[in-house]
Amino acid sequence: MIHLQEVSKLYRTDRVETTALDNINLDVGKGEFISVMGPSGCGKSTLLNLIGLLDEPTSGKVALDGKAIDRYGDRDLARVRNERLGFIFQQFHLVSDLSVVDNVEIPLLYRKMSNKERRRAALAALDRVGLSSRTRHFPTQLSGGQQQRVAIARAIVGRPGILLADEPTGNLDSQMGDEIMSILEDLNANEKTTIVMVTHDPRMAEKTHRVVRLFDGRQVQ
Amino acid sequence: MIRHLFKLVWNRKRTSALLILEIFFSFLVVFVVATLGMYCWDNYKRPLGFSIKNVWQLRIETKKSDDQHTPEESATFARLLKEVKSFDAIESAAGAMGAPYEFGQYQSGMTIHHHDVTMEFNEVTPELKDVLGLRLVAGRWFQEGDEKLSWLPVVIDRDLARDAFGGQEAIGQRLDEPAPDGMKPKPGMRVIGVVDDFRRAGELSGPGNYRFDLKRLGNPDDRPGRIILVKVRSGTPASFEETLMARAQGVAPEWSFEVKPLTQLRESAFRLRLTPLIVGGIVAFFLLLMVGLGLIGVLWQNLLQRTREIGLRRATGASRAEVHRQVVMEQILLTTLGVFLGTVLVAQIPILDLIGFVSGRVFAGGLLVAMVSIYLLSILCALYPSAMAARVQPADALRYE
Amino acid sequence: MIKNYLKVALKVLGRRKFFTFISLFGISVTLVVLMVATALLDQVFAPEAPEVHGDRTLGIYQVGLRSEQIAYTGFAGYGLLDRVLRNLTTEVPAVERTSILSVQSTAISYLDGKRVESWFKRTDGEFWRILDFQFLEGQPFSQDDEKNGHHVAVINASTRDRFFGGKPAVGKTIAIDGQTFRVVGVVKDVPVLRVVAFSDVWVPISTFKSSTYRKDYIGNFMAILLARSRADFPAIRSEVAARLKAAEAGIPNPEMYKWIFGGADTLLGAFSRVLFSTNSLADSHPERLLGVFLLLMMLFMILPTVNLVNINLSRILDRSSEIGVRKAFGASSWTLVGQFVVENVFLTLIGAGIGLILAAAVLSTLNASGAIPYSDLHLNGRVFLYGLGIALFFGLFSGVYPAWRMSKLHPVQALRGRQV
């Protein structure tokens, strides 16, 4: 499903060269739920960005569904992100000027679809995360846990095969975190969605199939 | 997508409203200047109805208002005209009250077939047709013997014929001008001919009704003319002006005179009409430049605030081109709202018939120019900020704070 | 406090150069237009040479003659003005001097067969004592010259250049309008916008070729009255009104006109009377004309203001974190509003300074272009003060709303910046 081969990532500024990732090899199979752990600045997010096609590796190969993406142009990358990937962020990143349902519709705007279908899909996704009663609210009117559920609905509305979650519970208290976690587990179990989750929290990591540990950009286990 | 953008604009009411307001006022500014420009252009293309080639005017200053004259003065004027005509260098000369391109005008209003008609008029001697090359379209022009008629023959222009009589035959129709109490009523007027549209005030002036009354030189009731228009033979040197002045001064030592080719009057008439337009155009240009720079700044800043939103859109599958397009579309949407408001407002002009001179064509032209320039300005201003937005790296935009 | 504000303001403006540039561009363009307009109005209305006593001068600039059917509005005839002004200075001590002058008209001369047009004004000896012309040579003609119909003329410097090649002209003769005059004085050029004083050539009224003008009520004359002080204006106005009323008995063509309208106005009042066709004898409502000027200024300023408000809002949002910090450390909303308004006024004043320099350039170009004959448009203390006033108004107006929005920002939100 996801295949990283000898992937390295360097960040260059005028003076310093930082190695964010160093020779990472990673394979995630279909339906797998893995977590990526490590201290701050170890390259977890960089790894997620590379898998999410938001960034390109300095060297090495990234392949999704067996297709290497290094020759893809911007338009193709965007299409792959749109159809195959869903993102969940620690800060939720909801658009505050849009209602809950409009936020969830965003990924569908970049597909050819009627407004009606889009609306139906968004409502279904909100139902899936248990927020069908809050569709007209604005993000600021919701609790953190609710906001993250909206973000999950947005990530799954386009029925992507892969969910990439960057510390989805990092900004939430433990009870809310557990709720979010159970939604993810449910998606993984019932929809066979592949999930890669970056986390600090060993309690959350325990619930996943496999844990990848990074330290200073290197895979330690 | 449009609906989505509309929601964004709506939910950012306060910011959007101010931008829409700015576009609305810019639209009005362009509309006013464009409509005035279109009005001048539209007029310029219409036929003028006369030619001023080799025509000079001899202006007479009697230093008296038109209402007061003595029979002697009328006789002096007749003598003056005869003297002027006797020059070899002069092909023909005509007496009149007003000259082409002059600033002032003689206005008259009357009721014809139960509707009020206003018109500009002039009192002219029969030679005017040759001097100004008027083109008759119906009936006849003044001829010898007309001054002895018991009624006053008049020739009207096509505009007046249309306005006063509609589709009816104008020749033979009566016109009655109400005379003030205590004044001798003018003799009844009867239309004897129709000439092409005559636009005395010149190329840039609007169409209007015009009437030529016969100036009866032998009649002591008729006031002296204020103008003698002369057609000089081509090649007449400018120094002939002095000869002409001296002769006129000899005939009427108490009056003052001024000789000028009509081309000079035409120049000053153009300057008078175009100066406000040019000044307005320059001011409008700077206002638009100011608005354009302002829009770039505001859009740029707004997009900077929305970096994370843009990053998110990129992450969820918007390509660079789509982000680019979205920003421009948002701007077009705002512009449309501003232009819509502006159009609703200016549409009141023809609906309520607020300004008479704006014809449908001029109005539509002004509207079109205003719309096109505002959209162009708006899109042009959105291009740079939207290109910046499209360059947003989603990975950077979505990083921790 | 203010000093601190200004320091911050200067830093902020230096940091966002593009925003500072577009703000300054808008402000200075706006002020250039307004200051050029002000300079033009100043040249018409302000009491400056030669109309040095403009502030205590009244004029009968236009009159109306009417009956039930017809109406004439325009310049008066000599007969009417002469009747109204006769013995006015002796009977009403508040009036120091009076003068009658014709509206300038073009007059033709031929110099070696080439036509020369000059502006030509007829007036009396008192004209030169009410207005203060700068004489380059010779002296004005006197009331005696006027009484006795002496063919004498005062010309301006440009006319001296045209007729005499700039050489001394006093004592020489000038042929104009079919008459010959002996030059007695040469004055500095007067701008065309000084409607009362302006001309190229001034000659006595009595040099008219015929004397019929002496009885006319309609013509091309106006009169000016120099009051001893502005406080005398009401008394003079009512006296002139009474005399105009009394003059109705002498209308030369009573079968046409029955009533006379008009009055002694300030120059501003005269324009207002023409613009609004005011018929009242006593009051010409100059405040209406001021209202029109103010309205036009406001209309013009709408777009620049909206533009500046938009830019200001953007600048504020850009600084939301600074505002958050200040709020978190206990700055009240009012302090913040104050800070921003001061900052904006400061910016406007810089813009006004640039505008002032540009306006001076525009005005000197205008003077040099000759578009307005003999125009001597310049920025003086008065125009500068008006400009400053406009700039302050502009700065306050465009700063208050954004500042209010800024003060409403929630500190936590402000610190975080806007969500997504």
Side-chain angles (χ1 to χ4, degrees):
Chain A
M1 195 82 196
I2 303 169
H3 175 72
L4 270 63
Q5 191 185 323
E6 291 167 12
V7 166
S8 297
K9 179 74 186 174
L10 297 174
Y11 285 110
R12 281 195 195 88
T13 59
D14 298 343
R15 278 172 244 160
V16 276
E17 196 170 86
T18 332
T19 309
L21 288 176
D22 188 9
N23 199 24
I24 304 286
N25 289 295
L26 179 68
D27 271 293
V28 185
K30 185 167 166 55
E32 225 184 327
F33 188 171
I34 70 161
S35 48
V36 180
M37 288 194 75
S40 290
C42 67
K44 303 187 297 275
S45 293
T46 307
L47 181 68
L48 210 62
N49 286 341
L50 288 177
I51 299 172
L53 313 185
L54 297 178
D55 216 341
E56 286 170 17
T58 316
S59 66
K61 206 174 88 178
V62 178
L64 283 186
D65 298 331
K67 282 180 211 132
I69 53 95
D70 48 347
R71 296 193 163 269
Y72 279 25
D74 175 65
R75 192 181 298 263
D76 296 320
L77 286 175
R79 209 193 58 242
V80 174
R81 281 200 298 269
N82 184 259
E83 289 169 1
R84 302 287 303 134
L85 300 169
F87 288 90
I88 301 164
F89 305 95
Q90 183 180 1
Q91 285 82 18
F92 325 137
H93 288 325
L94 298 178
V95 182
S96 59
D97 290 325
L98 288 173
S99 69
V100 163
V101 65
D102 288 328
N103 261 292
V104 176
E105 276 183 17
I106 288 177
L108 303 182
L109 290 171
Y110 305 105
R111 292 185 187 181
K112 274 202 162 59
M113 237 164 164
S114 75
N115 282 330
K116 229 186 202 154
E117 279 178 85
R118 221 173 257 153
R119 181 50 51 111
R120 201 177 318 125
L123 290 175
L126 280 168
D127 193 39
R128 186 78 182 71
V129 297
L131 270 179
S132 32
S133 60
R134 296 260 197 256
T135 56
R136 299 265 156 217
H137 286 64
F138 280 84
T140 45
Q141 297 167 310
L142 302 179
S143 70
Q146 285 170 327
Q147 289 192 43
Q148 193 58 300
R149 282 194 273 163
V150 175
I152 295 173
R154 182 177 62 193
I156 62 170
V157 72
R159 309 201 149 275
I162 302 165
L163 271 187
L164 302 173
D166 194 353
E167 306 235 23
T169 60
N171 268 3
L172 303 173
D173 64 32
S174 60
Q175 193 200 330
M176 282 182 183
D178 287 343
E179 276 176 35
I180 297 300
M181 201 55 204
S182 64
I183 293 173
L184 292 181
E185 283 176 309
D186 183 51
L187 284 168
N188 175 250
N190 295 327
E191 325 252 323
K192 300 282 172 275
T193 310
T194 311
I195 301 179
V196 179
M197 178 177 77
V198 166
T199 185
H200 260 112
D201 189 342
R203 219 165 48 84
M204 298 296 167
E206 262 171 33
K207 299 183 184 174
T208 61
H209 302 166
R210 179 149 70 96
V211 179
V212 175
R213 283 179 204 282
L214 293 179
F215 188 79
D216 275 353
R218 269 189 287 272
Q219 203 170 340
V220 290
Q221 172 187 332
Chain B
M1 193 64 175
I2 301 270
R3 245 166 65 149
H4 180 78
L5 294 181
F6 201 83
K7 278 179 199 155
L8 269 177
V9 168
W10 176 251
N11 292 336
R12 293 180 175 134
K13 281 187 251 351
R14 285 200 290 197
T15 316
S16 308
L18 273 165
L19 281 173
I20 291 171
L21 202 66
E22 185 163 351
I23 289 163
F24 165 77
F25 284 118
S26 312
F27 175 81
L28 291 188
V29 167
V30 181
F31 174 77
V32 169
V33 174
T35 306
L36 283 177
M38 292 298 281
Y39 176 68
C40 281
W41 178 240
D42 189 54
N43 288 333
Y44 186 77
K45 284 188 308 183
R46 283 170 201 270
L48 189 59
F50 61 89
S51 148
I52 59 163
K53 194 158 177 249
N54 291 330
V55 180
W56 296 4
Q57 73 152 1
L58 171 66
R59 211 162 63 83
I60 302 159
E61 185 55 68
T62 63
K63 317 235 155 79
K64 269 186 167 183
S65 89
D66 282 346
D67 309 322
Q68 308 156 18
H69 73 271
T70 59
E72 294 78 52
E73 284 168 337
S74 299
T76 307
F77 179 71
R79 216 168 49 243
L80 184 65
L81 183 59
K82 212 172 137 204
E83 282 285 333
V84 168
K85 277 203 268 187
S86 70
F87 280 105
D88 272 346
I90 289 176
E91 269 179 30
S92 58
M97 295 305 288
Y101 298 109
E102 236 185 0
F103 191 50
Q105 56 177 326
Y106 290 84
Q107 280 279 350
S108 150
M110 56 183 70
T111 310
I112 302 170
H113 297 319
H114 309 291
H115 86 115
D116 292 331
V117 179
T118 57
M119 66 199 75
E120 196 185 335
F121 72 97
N122 204 347
E123 295 164 12
V124 303
T125 60
E127 301 88 343
L128 189 82
K129 179 167 176 288
D130 297 330
V131 173
L132 289 183
L134 302 181
R135 212 171 63 85
L136 211 59
V137 294
R140 65 173 180 88
W141 181 253
F142 305 122
Q143 63 192 33
E144 216 160 308
D146 277 354
E147 68 275 8
K148 297 194 182 69
L149 294 170
S150 61
W151 44 273
L152 183 72
V154 301
V155 173
I156 60 177
D157 82 337
R158 223 162 13 183
D159 273 331
L160 178 53
R162 210 176 302 126
D163 193 15
F165 309 114
Q168 288 178 42
E169 174 66 44
I171 311 297
Q173 294 271 12
R174 287 172 170 284
L175 301 173
D176 288 300
E177 195 167 24
D181 270 4
M183 281 191 74
K184 210 186 283 182
K186 274 190 167 178
M189 289 183 273
R190 215 177 284 171
V191 179
I192 60 164
V194 178
V195 292
D196 242 346
D197 289 341
F198 183 78
R199 297 192 297 136
R200 189 198 56 79
E203 285 88 343
L204 299 182
S205 65
N209 300 334
Y210 207 86
R211 187 186 88 213
F212 297 95
D213 300 356
L214 176 66
K215 183 171 273 302
R216 299 166 303 181
L217 286 176
N219 193 326
D221 284 344
D222 278 20
R223 53 190 169 187
R226 288 185 164 275
I227 301 282
I228 290 177
L229 290 170
V230 300
K231 190 169 179 84
V232 298
R233 292 189 201 285
S234 55
T236 305
S239 58
F240 178 63
E241 283 179 21
E242 195 178 357
T243 320
L244 188 58
M245 276 268 288
R247 181 72 65 88
Q249 205 74 67
V251 175
E254 294 193 347
W255 293 347
S256 295
F257 299 95
E258 184 187 22
V259 181
K260 236 185 216 177
L262 283 186
T263 45
Q264 269 190 31
L265 279 170
R266 181 174 184 264
E267 256 173 51
S268 22
F270 267 70
R271 209 168 24 233
L272 192 75
R273 297 226 176 217
L274 289 181
T275 305
L277 195 65
I278 291 168
V279 170
I282 291 173
V283 170
F285 170 80
F286 276 103
L287 281 181
L288 286 193
L289 196 60
M290 177 187 85
V291 169
L293 286 172
L295 281 182
I296 292 177
V298 171
L299 282 178
W300 188 10
Q301 187 59 43
N302 283 355
L303 288 170
L304 221 58
Q305 303 261 267
R306 289 167 61 186
T307 310
R308 262 171 296 169
E309 179 197 326
I310 292 160
L312 179 93
R313 287 178 189 276
R314 295 272 286 125
T316 54
S319 65
R320 277 202 181 94
E322 273 164 326
V323 168
H324 205 306
R325 197 160 33 198
Q326 185 196 329
V327 173
V328 175
M329 286 286 280
E330 246 181 87
Q331 183 62 13
I332 290 178
L333 191 62
L334 284 178
T335 311
T336 306
L337 290 172
V339 167
F340 173 75
L341 283 181
T343 310
V344 167
L345 186 76
V346 299
Q348 305 309 309
I349 294 172
I351 290 173
L352 303 177
D353 201 16
L354 289 178
I355 305 171
F357 74 80
V358 179
S359 74
R361 229 155 41 120
V362 168
F363 178 83
L367 206 61
L368 193 73
V369 170
M371 279 185 181
V372 169
S373 22
I374 292 298
Y375 271 110
L376 225 60
L377 176 81
S378 203
I379 291 169
L380 219 61
C381 292
L383 284 184
Y384 179 67
S386 66
M388 296 292 286
R391 241 180 281 159
V392 164
Q393 289 296 331
D396 297 338
L398 296 171
R399 233 199 293 263
Y400 302 105
E401 289 163 348
Chain C
M1 197 64 186
I2 293 277
K3 203 176 140 195
N4 192 29
Y5 279 174
L6 291 184
K7 237 194 232 155
V8 174
L10 211 57
K11 260 187 213 138
V12 168
L13 297 180
R15 202 165 57 219
R16 296 303 307 270
K17 290 196 180 63
F18 182 63
F19 270 90
T20 309
F21 167 71
I22 56 178
S23 306
L24 285 177
F25 180 81
I27 295 164
S28 43
V29 162
T30 310
L31 282 162
V32 165
V33 173
L34 290 173
M35 275 196 259
V36 168
T38 313
L40 281 166
L41 290 176
D42 187 74
Q43 183 120 82
V44 176
F45 293 112
E48 263 194 30
E51 293 166 8
V52 280
H53 302 306
D55 50 344
R56 54 186 180 100
T57 303
L58 287 174
I60 306 172
Y61 296 106
Q62 290 219 331
V63 293
L65 270 78
R66 250 161 235 262
S67 64
E68 285 91 346
Q69 289 81 23
I70 49 175
Y72 165 87
T73 310
F75 298 110
Y78 183 87
L80 174 60
L81 293 174
D82 186 44
R83 181 178 172 138
V84 170
L85 298 187
R86 191 168 302 149
N87 298 332
L88 188 65
T89 44
T90 45
E91 285 166 24
V92 184
V95 181
E96 198 177 323
R97 297 175 190 286
T98 66
S99 165
I100 297 178
L101 53 134
S102 77
V103 178
Q104 64 276 5
S105 54
T106 49
I108 307 298
S109 313
Y110 287 93
L111 291 173
D112 308 323
K114 249 191 84 194
R115 189 184 63 212
V116 176
E117 282 182 29
S118 313
W119 289 100
F120 194 60
K121 188 190 284 283
R122 289 176 197 270
T123 184
D124 52 22
E126 287 293 280
F127 178 77
W128 307 102
R129 308 180 69 171
I130 296 178
L131 302 173
D132 183 24
F133 284 85
Q134 190 189 333
F135 274 82
L136 303 175
E137 54 174 313
Q139 55 194 4
F141 52 81
S142 66
Q143 202 68 354
D144 268 354
D145 287 326
E146 207 280 317
K147 236 173 236 145
N148 303 321
H150 292 154
H151 278 53
V152 291
V154 172
I155 61 175
N156 66 0
S158 292
T159 306
R160 180 174 67 179
D161 290 347
R162 277 198 292 270
F163 281 77
F164 307 108
K167 297 199 186 78
V170 170
K172 293 184 180 155
T173 57
I174 177 170
I176 192 164
D177 200 26
Q179 291 177 305
T180 307
F181 299 91
R182 185 170 50 86
V183 177
V184 293
V186 179
V187 295
K188 209 179 134 213
D189 288 347
V190 178
V192 70
L193 293 172
R194 300 254 155 223
V195 283
V196 172
F198 170 73
S199 192
D200 285 320
V201 178
W202 296 261
V203 302
I205 300 173
S206 54
T207 56
F208 256 127
K209 295 164 194 164
S210 91
S211 61
T212 51
Y213 72 90
R214 291 195 163 273
K215 296 190 288 289
D216 290 345
Y217 268 37
I218 291 176
N220 64 343
F221 286 96
M222 46 185 162
I224 47 175
L225 297 78
L226 182 63
R228 294 202 187 274
S229 84
R230 284 184 76 88
D232 297 324
F233 277 8
I236 297 173
R237 280 204 176 101
S238 60
E239 176 63 23
V240 167
R243 285 173 172 233
L244 280 169
K245 198 82 207 146
E248 284 174 359
I251 293 178
N253 43 352
E255 73 284 0
M256 279 185 72
Y257 300 116
K258 293 181 182 164
W259 308 295
I260 298 175
F261 296 91
D265 301 326
T266 56
L267 206 48
L268 197 66
F271 278 89
S272 168
R273 191 187 282 280
V274 174
L275 191 63
F276 296 103
S277 335
T278 311
N279 284 326
S280 142
L281 275 169
D283 198 351
S284 52
H285 297 290
E287 72 283 355
R288 288 187 195 165
L289 189 63
L290 285 178
V292 169
F293 289 151
L294 218 60
L295 192 77
L296 287 177
M297 190 186 97
M298 295 284 210
L299 271 179
F300 172 73
M301 277 178 62
I302 290 178
L303 188 53
T305 308
V306 174
N307 186 53
L308 198 56
V309 167
N310 266 324
I311 295 170
N312 280 344
L313 271 177
S314 296
R315 277 202 304 147
I316 283 173
L317 290 178
D318 182 41
R319 288 165 56 192
S320 44
S321 59
E322 176 203 327
I323 294 155
V325 171
R326 279 172 188 273
K327 274 204 165 177
F329 282 94
S332 77
S333 291
W334 280 113
T335 333
L336 286 172
V337 169
Q339 185 205 333
F340 188 78
V341 171
V342 166
E343 205 176 293
N344 194 51
V345 168
F346 180 63
L347 183 69
T348 331
L349 290 181
I350 296 177
I354 298 171
L356 206 69
I357 295 164
L358 292 178
V362 170
L363 290 177
S364 68
T365 315
L366 211 58
N367 286 339
S369 76
I372 307 169
Y374 310 141
S375 62
D376 175 27
L377 299 167
H378 53 268
L379 299 168
N380 52 28
R382 220 171 13 250
V383 177
F384 178 74
L385 276 183
Y386 282 127
L388 204 67
I390 294 168
L392 277 175
F393 174 77
F394 193 35
L396 284 174
F397 204 70
S398 60
V400 166
Y401 175 70
W404 178 78
R405 281 276 298 273
M406 169 172 92
S407 71
K408 287 279 172 250
L409 273 180
H410 196 267
V412 177
Q413 263 184 339
L415 263 177
R416 259 200 282 170
R418 230 160 114 217
Q419 273 283 304
V420 182

